Amino acid sequence: MAEETMAKVDQPAPKKDEPESLADHTATIKSQILEQIGRPPRLHRVEVCRHHNGNYRVNIWEELEPIGEFSLSKRIHIGASYYLKVSDSGEILHSNPPLKKRKFKS
């Protein structure tokens, strides 16, 4: 019985709802970014990193065109990167560089 009590005491306290709110802001930010800049034809992923005081870094990872007739591995690079100020509800308030439609090769 004493071991059960000790095990319960040693467990870390559950965290606040922070992971859920992060996921909600991440999804909101991703959709806003792709809506404002357009969706790259070779989009690999949109990476959203939370910093401090409502600031986020967003990297748009894109696959490069394959070299030659075929490629054994994908080449991926950051096609665009933004530093954002975001409201408590996840709306983008400011972006550096500014968000504008990008032109993509067809």
Side-chain angles (χ1 to χ4, degrees), residues 77-104:
H77 77 285
I78 297 176
S81 186
Y82 302 95
Y83 194 66
L84 307 175
K85 178 70 174 176
V86 177
S87 72
D88 292 338
S89 64
E91 297 299 316
I92 296 172
L93 302 174
H94 177 73
S95 174
N96 184 17
L99 295 170
K100 57 184 175 182
K101 284 282 186 197
R102 292 176 54 203
K103 296 180 183 179
F104 302 104

Side-chain angles (χ1 to χ4, degrees), residues 10-99:
D10 290 342
Q11 293 177 355
K15 294 186 178 183
K16 296 179 184 177
D17 295 333
E18 192 172 1
E20 288 181 20
S21 64
L22 275 179
D24 291 343
H25 286 326
T26 298
T28 303
I29 291 168
K30 284 181 183 182
S31 65
Q32 290 177 79
I33 290 284
L34 292 176
E35 180 181 312
Q36 292 185 34
I37 69 166
R39 185 177 186 88
R42 298 179 146 286
L43 178 66
H44 183 262
R45 73 178 184 270
V46 178
E47 180 180 58
V48 178
C49 300
R50 184 177 183 186
H51 289 272
H52 55 82
N53 300 329
N55 295 313
Y56 289 79
R57 165 66 70 192
V58 176
N59 293 322
I60 311 296
W61 291 85
E62 300 174 19
E63 294 178 24
L64 294 172
E65 291 284 334
I67 298 175
E69 292 181 23
F70 63 91
S71 177
L72 298 176
S73 63
K74 293 180 181 179
R75 297 182 323 143
I76 300 170
H77 77 285
I78 297 176
S81 186
Y82 302 95
Y83 194 66
L84 307 175
K85 178 70 174 176
V86 177
S87 72
D88 292 338
S89 64
E91 297 299 316
I92 296 172
L93 302 174
H94 177 73
S95 174
N96 184 17
L99 295 170

Side-chain angles (χ1 to χ4, degrees), residues 3-14:
E3 290 179 14
E4 290 177 17
T5 305
M6 291 294 281
K8 290 180 183 176
V9 173
D10 290 342
Q11 293 177 355

